[in-house]
Amino acid sequence: MYAEDGVTYECKAKGRFRKEGVKPMPGDFVMFTPPEQTVGGSIDEILPRLNQLPRPMIANIDLLLIVISAGDPKADLQLVDKLLLYAGYNHIRAAVALNKIDSVCEKSRIPQEYQGSGIQFLEVSARSGEGLDELKQLLKGKFTCFAGQSAVGKSTLLNAISPALKLETGEMSRKTARGRHTTRHSELLLLPELEAVVADTPGFSILECMEIEPEELRMYYPEFILLQGQCRFDGCLHVREPQCCVKQAVEAGKISEGRYERYLKLLQELIERRENRYV
Ligand code: ZN
């Protein structure tokens, strides 16, 4: 646990919390009694949370930063869309960092997939240092949760921003042939130079953690919301309905086809989940 004075204290949660069914989470702000010579420190009170994610448990996130790779591994945009949905559902601001831009000759077309969505895109390279100042500016003063596929370079990026962290990266563990994921639990990392805290998370259980009905999904696509008032049907899901303005925008190239296709896929997943619930 980190205190305001920058010192780390080891504290245990009081038994009362267990009785109340409350569990301290990484990211919690707490009132505590520091340890003394013979008596261990204790967490006395957990302050109200701004937000919280269940799996992995983490609280008070200011920003969910989705890291993807412009090169290898190929960006899983379905995962990006799910993470954006997850952030929207939990009222957390999201941004995307497109890493490894030095490894491709052509400019990535991925940001175009999100035109009209209002999602902030940063193009960065941990290796060449490109975009790192902008990334630092974004992280400054915030509690940011890094998310994304493995091997997209999350740890390398964090090392590039704050060399003092000395995080073990995927490349290193490949070299030592330990063959394991480098990040297994949410770890909080302090970046004092930016007055920031970062959580490197091992991955989220996304769809399982959201109570979203298929009809609600469209509300999480900012680029749809502006148009859907003009669709012929009020409850238009933008699938097969006639005179659908979202579909027209896709055909006209105003909304990316890929993003729309992934929306249909996600919608189908939610419909199937609902059907299975009642079996
Ligand atoms: Zn429509």
Side-chain angles (χ1 to χ4, degrees):
M1 203 183 65
Y2 304 114
E4 268 171 339
D5 54 12
V7 181
T8 307
Y9 295 99
E10 201 175 316
C11 293
K12 282 207 172 114
K14 284 193 165 172
R16 165 167 80 81
F17 292 125
R18 201 173 312 136
K19 270 180 233 145
E20 291 168 4
V22 185
K23 211 173 166 189
M25 292 184 179
D28 266 335
F29 290 105
V30 301
M31 306 295 277
F32 72 103
T33 311
E36 287 183 49
Q37 275 159 353
T38 52
V39 191
S42 65
I43 295 174
D44 304 322
E45 196 187 333
I46 299 169
L47 302 183
R49 290 168 182 150
L50 188 68
N51 52 48
Q52 64 185 74
L53 298 180
R55 270 183 279 170
M57 287 207 303
I58 197 152
N60 299 315
I61 301 167
D62 295 313
L63 176 74
L64 183 75
L65 186 72
I66 305 165
V67 184
I68 54 174
S69 156
D72 192 38
K74 194 172 182 296
D76 178 352
L77 297 185
Q78 190 75 30
L79 177 67
V80 172
D81 288 7
K82 277 187 188 176
L83 284 165
L84 289 173
L85 173 65
Y86 195 45
Y89 179 76
N90 289 292
H91 308 287
I92 298 168
R93 179 181 160 195
V96 179
L98 183 61
N99 191 19
K100 305 190 186 178
I101 53 164
D102 60 290
S103 68
V104 285
C105 0
E106 245 180 90
K107 202 169 156 56
S108 171
R109 297 173 60 85
I110 294 172
Q112 284 171 27
E113 291 260 332
Y114 294 88
Q115 58 177 329
S117 70
I119 309 290
Q120 186 181 357
F121 261 84
L122 273 78
E123 303 193 22
V124 297
S125 164
R127 198 155 28 156
S128 73
E130 222 170 316
L132 292 186
D133 283 339
E134 203 188 337
L135 180 59
K136 282 183 192 168
Q137 209 51 45
L138 181 66
L139 301 183
K140 200 171 179 187
K142 294 191 190 78
F143 176 32
T144 302
C145 200
F146 274 54
Q149 300 150 263
S150 55
V152 291
K154 293 192 286 279
S155 303
T156 317
L157 209 49
L158 282 165
N159 282 339
I161 296 168
S162 183
L165 289 174
K166 294 196 178 78
L167 297 175
E168 189 181 347
T169 64
E171 268 160 48
M172 288 180 206
S173 54
R174 263 201 299 280
K175 266 180 210 154
T176 51
R178 262 179 273 171
R180 59 172 177 85
H181 287 293
T182 41
T183 321
R184 279 173 299 180
H185 54 91
S186 309
E187 201 179 342
L188 297 194
L189 308 165
L190 285 183
L191 279 58
E193 62 275 45
L194 298 176
E195 294 176 341
V197 180
V198 162
D200 197 0
T201 50
F204 293 101
S205 314
I206 307 169
L207 279 191
E208 296 84 344
C209 296
M210 288 186 283
E211 298 278 326
I212 291 185
E213 296 302 327
E215 295 76 19
E216 294 165 344
L217 181 63
R218 60 202 173 119
M219 307 312 279
Y220 293 93
Y221 287 70
E223 61 268 65
F224 294 2
I225 290 173
L226 289 172
L227 297 167
Q228 62 195 13
Q230 298 157 33
C231 288
R232 182 165 160 197
F233 297 107
D234 269 351
C236 188
L237 292 181
H238 322 310
V239 184
R240 270 178 234 95
E241 298 91 336
Q243 291 168 37
C244 166
C245 290
V246 171
K247 272 192 293 177
Q248 284 164 9
V250 174
E251 275 156 32
K254 288 180 190 142
I255 289 176
S256 129
E257 209 175 329
R259 172 100 156 139
Y260 175 67
E261 295 290 333
R262 293 192 298 276
Y263 162 78
L264 294 180
K265 221 169 134 189
L266 207 45
L267 184 67
Q268 193 54 37
E269 265 186 68
L270 292 177
I271 291 170
E272 277 164 24
R273 183 175 75 165
R274 178 155 71 187
E275 281 165 0
N276 291 335
R277 216 185 295 157
Y278 298 119
V279 168

